[in-house]
């Protein structure tokens, strides 16, 4: 499913030695992969360069590889869709030569390459091979040889495009996701189920199986991401205009739901988006209620 929907991170303009984003080249993957991300080239991991990053719900799932050239090891994990913000902090191994490679899939599209259900994966992290055995096996073989972000992304595209027969597919989920994006998340589950000619209960079951969350939650997250895009892209952002534009009940509803997912209020979120290289103490000054989750090196 092709889409112009581009969910954003908490700091969409951030770039450093461990993190840069590039879009897929193949048109056939533009509606499947949000981006490839990671380090351009291997770098020495130094404590003085370490930093923490706020991670917000982006309606995506990630495969993340951490390659350690000093120990000659590759660690791969799969992170399911999130519905809460957290802080990701870099792990140790200071002085090691390392690199990072991530594949960010739209949550509703990743099922075509999965070998297992996504039920119960909300806010979870798992070994990459547990659900992407075929892709994980082929990628690991070449991650040392292909050591730039561009090379790794091109390799991944080639592997995915060769997988012409989807491993798991649901026409109902695909159609429902398309409607959610077109309506920017502003519709009821009854409306969505009616559009898909299916009961709300059946739709819930399919979404849990193929995405890992229910349709109501996906609608809410998509609307939040459209709102967040408006906040960071529109210098004249106005809350009252956004209430009407994105179908919120009133300003209180919009503000409450934004903070529910982002943890910060809109003003602080916008300030964080403009920042780079922020320290952990600065993060807590911005929003002390944020959960502190150590998820390794994907900052």
């Amino acid at each position: 499913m092709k889409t112009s929907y581009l969910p954003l991170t908490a700091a969409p303009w951030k770039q450093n030695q461990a993190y840069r984003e590039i879009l897929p080249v193949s048109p056939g993957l533009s509606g499947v992969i949000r981006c490839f991300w990671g380090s351009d080239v291997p770098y020495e991991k130094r404590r003085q360069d370490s930093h923490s990053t706020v991670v917000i719900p982006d309606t995506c799932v990630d495969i993340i590889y951490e390659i350690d050239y000093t120990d000659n090891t590759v660690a791969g994990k799969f992170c399911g869709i999130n519905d809460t913000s957290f802080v990701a902090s870099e792990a140790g191994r200071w002085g090691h030569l390392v690199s990072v490679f991530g594949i960010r899939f739209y949550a509703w599209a990743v099922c075509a390459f999965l070998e297992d259900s996504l039920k119960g994966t909300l806010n979870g992290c798992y070994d990459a091979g547990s659900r992407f055995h075929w892709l994980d096996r082929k990628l690991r073989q070449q991650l040392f040889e292909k050591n730039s972000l561009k090379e790794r992304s091109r390799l991944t595209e080639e592997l995915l495009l060769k997988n012409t027969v989807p491993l798991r597919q649901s026409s109902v989920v695909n159609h429902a996701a398309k409607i959610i994006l077109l309506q920017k998340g502003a519709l009821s589950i009854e409306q969505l189920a009616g559009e898909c000619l299916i009961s709300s209960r059946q739709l819930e079951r399919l979404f849990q199986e193929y995405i890992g969350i229910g349709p109501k939650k996906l609608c809410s997250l998509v609307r939040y991401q459209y709102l967040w895009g408006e906040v960071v892209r529109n210098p004249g952002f106005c809350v009252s205009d956004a209430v009407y534009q994105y179908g919120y009940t009133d300003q209180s509803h919009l503000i409450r739901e934004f903070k529910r997912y982002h943890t910060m209020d809109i003003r602080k979120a916008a300030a964080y988006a403009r920042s780079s290289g922020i320290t952990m103490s600065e993060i807590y000054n911005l929003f002390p209620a944020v959960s502190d989750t150590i998820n390794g090196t994907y900052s």
Side-chain angles (χ1 to χ4, degrees), residues 65 69 74 139-147 152:
Y65 288 101
Y69 296 85
V74 177
L139 271 179
R140 281 177 186 265
Q141 295 172 358
Q142 301 188 57
L143 284 175
F144 281 104
E145 178 186 347
K146 312 283 188 184
N147 61 11
R152 289 169 176 170

Side-chain angles (χ1 to χ4, degrees), residues 11 14-20 37 43 45 49-55 64 66 87-91 100 272 295-299:
K14 172 185 167 185
Q15 292 191 53
N16 57 42
Q17 63 180 356
Y19 190 93
R20 188 170 74 87
W37 60 271
Y43 63 97
K45 196 167 190 178
D49 298 328
S50 65
H51 53 276
S52 298
T53 300
V54 177
V55 179
I64 306 168
E66 298 174 13
V87 174
S89 300
E90 291 194 60
V100 184
Y272 179 81
N295 259 353
T297 310
Y298 70 108
S299 50

